[in-house]
Amino acid sequence: MTERRLRILLISPSASYFINDSEFEEYVRTSRDIRTILHFWSGIGLGLPTIAALTPETHDVRIVDENKEAIPSDGSFDIVGITAMTHQADRAYEIATDFRRRGCYVVIGGIHASVCPREAMRYADSVFVGEAENMWPAFLSDFLQSSPKRIYNHSDYRPVEMSDSPVPKYSLLAKYSYPVVFVQTTRGCPHDCEFCVASNVYGKRYKRKPISQVVEEIREIKKYWKRAQIGFADDNMFVDRRYSRALVERFKELVFSWFAVCDVSVAQNEELLRAMHESGCRTLLIGFESVREDNLQGINENRWKAKQLAHYPAYVQKIQKHGIGVYGSFILGFEQDTQETVDEIIDFINSNNLLGGHATILTPLPGSRLRDRLEREGKILDRDWKWYTLWNAVIKHAKFSPEDLERGVMTIFKGIYNPESNKRRSEYFKRIYGELVQV
Amino acid sequence: MDDQRRHVREVIAGISRIDVSELADDVNVREELGIDSLMAMEIIATIEKALQIHIDEAQYAAIETVGDFIDLVIAAYRDTND
C-alpha cells in the first residue's frame, strides 16, 4: 500500500522584541551597536530544519521563518508545526488558532511548549515535550494511522543521543539570507544555573555529536550561504576539552568564521584557544552573569560561577590575547544588586577591554528553578509572555522599580557602546592583532 | 595601485574566510560580509604590517563597502609613500 503524501508546514513565529520603556525602545531601534548585536543573532533555531530532516522524503515539507516572510494565507496543509520560545508563545498561539480554523492539524513544540504543555494544548492538537528526535517519527506514524496523541513526551521514548539527530535540512532555509547559520555540536551544561530552562528540559547530561557529522553540517551550510558566519548553538561548548580539540582541528580544513557560547573556563586551555583562532573563531559569548560574589553564590548549587569571579579579568585577557573577542553576558536584577551594580558592570566591561557586553534583566522563565522560587516569594509581577524578552522587568525587586531595571540595562549598553569606549576597544584589539600577525 | 587593491582584497578574504570572488567593491562589509569591528581591526593590523603603513582605526566607523575599505588603504599608502 502506498503511504499517504503529507503536506507539512513548519513555522517559526516572529520574534519582535517588544520593549515597554519607550526611551529604551528608541535606543535599541537607533543604536548601531545594538543593531549589530541583534543582526548577528538573527539566525533561525535548529528545531524546524531538524524536524524536516526527521520527516521521510515522501512528504512535502516547507519552512516559514515569519521574521523573513509572511505566513501563507492560502494553501492546504495536513500538518502545521509551530516552535516557540517563551516570548514567541502568544504569536505561536495566534498562528495555531488561525490554522485550526482553516482545518489543519496543528502541533506545537519547542522550549515553551515543553515547559507549559497544558497551556499549549489549548491551542494545538498535539504538543511535544522535550527533544523531538524520537517523538516526531512516532507522531508521523500515529498521524498516518489517524491516531495521533494529544501529547508526546521525550521521557516516554529512548533517550536521544546526538547521533540520532540528523543533518538539519538547511536546504529548506536557503531561500533566506541569514548573516549567521547555527550548528549544534553538543547539548547539555554541567552548571545548572537557577535561571536556566534548558538543563531542566533537556537534562544535565553532556552529549556530543559525532565530529564527522558536524563537518558534514558545516559543508552543507557552505553550499547555501557563502558569506554567513557559523554560530554554535550549544548550551555550553568546550566542556569536553578533548572532543573540542579534535573538533576545532577539523574546522581548520573547512575555512569559515564562527562564534560560540561557552563558560569562562575555556581560558584555562591556551592550546585550545590558539587552535580556535586559527580555525576561524572570532568571538565567544560568555555568561559572567554578575560581578558581585554574593549574587554568584546563589546561581549554582556548587557555587561554580562564584568560584570563577576572581579569575574573570585574567581569563578575559587570556582569551582576547589570542585574537578572540569576548562578549560578556550580564544580568541585572539579582537580589543583591543595587544602583551601583550598573556602574560596576560598565566598569568591568570597559576596564577589562571586553569586545562587548550584553545585559538582560533577571527573568523567571517558565521551567526554571528561579521561577519556582520567585513564585513562592510573591515576586512575579507580570505573566504576559510577550514581556519575557529579557529586556522588560517582570519581577519585583527590593532596590529597583521595574522602570529602573529597564533603564539600568539601557545605561549599561550606553556605558559600553559610545565613541570613547569603542575607540579604546579598537586600539586595544589592533595592538593584539599587531602582535599576532605574521607577515 | 592594482597590487595594493588586490592585496587588500586577499587580506579581507583570508580573515573573513569568504572567497575573494564574493568581495565586489559594492558589497557592504558589515551586513553582507559580517565584518564587525573586531574583524576590521585584524584586517587593518595585517595590512599595516604588510604594507608598512598606518591606518587610523577610527576611520573604520565610516566604512560601508569593500570599495571604501580599499580606498582607505590606498589613501594611507599614498600618505606614507608620497
Side-chain angles (χ1 to χ4, degrees):
Chain A
M1 195 176 81
T2 312
E3 198 177 75
R4 192 176 143 207
R5 188 178 180 87
L6 299 174
R7 293 195 68 207
I8 301 172
L9 175 65
L10 302 175
I11 300 171
S12 177
S14 63
S16 303
Y17 277 84
F18 302 105
I19 297 174
N20 206 4
D21 185 287
S22 56
E23 192 183 330
F24 189 14
E25 194 274 336
E26 167 81 8
Y27 171 66
V28 166
R29 204 160 35 78
T30 55
S31 161
R32 183 167 165 171
D33 294 300
I34 302 295
R35 281 209 315 274
T36 302
I37 292 173
L38 295 178
H39 181 70
F40 282 106
W41 286 98
S42 63
I44 190 173
L46 290 166
L48 298 185
T50 301
I51 292 286
L54 289 164
T55 305
E57 297 280 351
T58 47
H59 304 302
D60 288 326
V61 183
R62 175 179 171 189
I63 298 178
V64 168
D65 177 352
E66 202 190 6
N67 285 321
K68 297 283 187 184
E69 68 170 310
I71 291 169
S73 55
D74 53 5
S76 63
F77 301 96
D78 299 296
I79 298 168
V80 174
I82 306 169
T83 185
M85 292 187 282
T86 292
H87 67 279
Q88 294 169 291
D90 289 354
R91 179 63 191 140
Y93 297 152
E94 280 175 14
I95 297 167
T97 303
D98 185 45
F99 275 101
R100 282 176 103 183
R101 204 175 288 134
R102 288 162 59 177
C104 302
Y105 192 91
V106 173
V107 303
I108 295 185
I111 193 89
H112 186 78
S114 294
V115 294
C116 297
R118 288 183 189 285
E119 176 188 290
M121 282 168 81
R122 297 207 298 268
Y123 305 92
D125 298 295
S126 292
V127 170
F128 291 79
V129 174
E131 296 166 291
E133 279 82 353
N134 295 330
M135 296 188 285
W136 183 255
F139 160 71
L140 284 181
S141 170
D142 291 347
F143 185 85
L144 286 166
Q145 292 172 54
S146 304
S147 58
K149 296 178 194 145
R150 286 285 281 138
I151 190 156
Y152 288 82
N153 192 317
H154 67 164
S155 61
D156 296 332
Y157 298 83
R158 180 174 60 80
V160 171
E161 298 300 332
M162 292 299 275
S163 54
D164 296 328
S165 195
V167 175
K169 267 250 187 254
Y170 290 111
S171 58
L172 296 181
L173 297 171
K175 57 187 169 178
Y176 304 129
S177 63
Y178 291 117
V180 171
V181 182
F182 289 103
V183 171
Q184 196 174 40
T185 71
T186 63
R187 279 183 203 162
C189 174
H191 299 318
D192 191 23
C193 296
E194 189 190 30
F195 50 78
C196 180
V197 184
S199 46
N200 271 359
V201 174
Y202 302 120
K204 295 170 191 70
R205 189 163 68 92
Y206 198 70
K207 299 188 282 195
R208 304 147 190 83
K209 191 177 278 180
I211 290 175
S212 58
Q213 183 176 329
V214 176
V215 169
E216 192 184 340
E217 292 183 14
I218 293 167
R219 289 207 167 109
E220 187 71 7
I221 289 169
K222 286 174 67 70
K223 270 196 228 167
Y224 304 110
W225 294 276
K226 307 286 182 207
R227 300 167 180 169
Q229 282 200 42
I230 287 178
F232 288 103
D234 301 27
D235 302 311
N236 186 354
M237 207 169 166
F238 318 119
V239 169
D240 180 337
R241 299 281 196 267
R242 187 176 294 180
Y243 171 84
S244 302
R245 191 73 177 83
L247 187 67
V248 166
E249 277 307 313
R250 291 297 304 278
F251 287 174
K252 289 181 186 172
E253 71 196 58
L254 297 171
V255 191
F256 66 104
S257 66
W258 57 277
F259 65 87
V261 179
C262 65
D263 70 47
V264 73
S265 70
V266 69
Q268 293 165 348
N269 192 325
E270 297 212 42
E271 195 190 334
L272 176 61
L273 289 170
R274 197 172 300 116
M276 283 163 60
H277 183 245
E278 284 168 10
S279 76
C281 178
R282 310 295 320 169
T283 50
L284 295 176
L285 180 74
I286 295 179
F288 295 99
E289 326 306 0
S290 179
V291 291
R292 296 183 61 110
E293 190 178 357
D294 42 13
N295 283 330
L296 294 174
Q297 293 280 6
I299 289 180
N300 329 91
E301 280 172 10
N302 62 4
R303 297 167 53 239
W304 188 85
K305 294 229 166 173
K307 289 175 197 164
Q308 309 307 311
L309 178 62
H311 305 295
Y312 278 178
Y315 282 169
V316 169
Q317 198 190 359
K318 273 189 180 177
I319 296 168
Q320 295 198 147
K321 82 172 188 194
H322 286 282
I324 298 170
V326 172
Y327 263 97
S329 178
F330 297 86
I331 298 173
L332 189 65
F334 285 117
E335 207 158 319
Q336 307 300 329
D337 282 346
T338 64
Q339 293 288 346
E340 285 71 48
T341 310
V342 171
D343 292 330
E344 287 165 8
I345 292 172
I346 295 169
D347 183 58
F348 177 86
I349 294 170
N350 287 342
S351 61
N352 288 295
N353 296 301
L354 267 72
L355 174 66
H358 188 67
T360 57
I361 298 169
L362 187 70
T363 302
L365 291 166
S368 65
R369 286 188 287 117
L370 174 70
R371 188 171 187 85
D372 296 341
R373 179 168 67 79
L374 295 187
E375 195 79 83
R376 284 195 305 275
E377 296 172 358
K379 290 181 178 168
I380 298 178
L381 290 178
D382 201 321
R383 292 163 200 285
D384 185 340
W385 300 135
K386 82 171 178 196
W387 301 119
Y388 281 62
T389 62
L390 314 188
W391 279 352
N392 294 288
V394 295
I395 58 166
K396 193 189 289 183
H397 192 280
K399 300 190 184 76
F400 286 93
S401 68
E403 294 73 27
D404 286 343
L405 280 172
E406 289 159 7
R407 294 289 167 101
V409 166
M410 182 176 65
T411 304
I412 292 171
F413 281 123
K414 286 183 173 177
I416 58 180
Y417 299 118
N418 55 64
E420 189 193 336
S421 301
N422 291 347
K423 182 171 187 299
R424 205 172 42 241
R425 234 181 329 262
S426 292
E427 289 167 354
Y428 170 80
F429 277 102
K430 193 174 158 191
R431 272 199 307 277
I432 287 178
Y433 287 119
E435 287 162 18
L436 286 174
V437 170
Q438 291 171 341
V439 178
Chain B
M1 288 301 146
D2 282 353
D3 281 355
Q4 282 76 34
R5 296 187 86 84
R6 193 174 57 247
H7 180 75
V8 175
R9 228 180 275 280
E10 282 167 1
V11 171
I12 295 174
I15 291 169
S16 67
R17 293 165 188 253
I18 294 169
D19 194 273
V20 77
S21 64
E22 297 283 318
L23 304 179
D25 276 359
D26 60 349
V27 171
N28 186 291
V29 289
R30 289 182 192 80
E31 287 172 14
E32 294 180 79
L33 299 183
I35 295 179
D36 53 17
S37 57
L38 183 72
M39 211 181 275
M41 287 312 114
E42 185 166 3
I43 293 167
I44 288 172
T46 306
I47 292 169
E48 279 190 349
K49 215 155 193 174
L51 300 181
Q52 294 293 303
I53 59 174
H54 173 74
I55 300 168
D56 178 5
E57 59 275 0
Q59 291 186 35
Y60 177 70
I63 296 293
E64 293 291 336
T65 64
V66 171
D68 293 344
F69 215 141
I70 292 172
D71 290 344
L72 174 69
V73 174
I74 298 297
Y77 187 81
R78 284 194 175 124
D79 284 349
T80 308
N81 293 287
D82 280 354

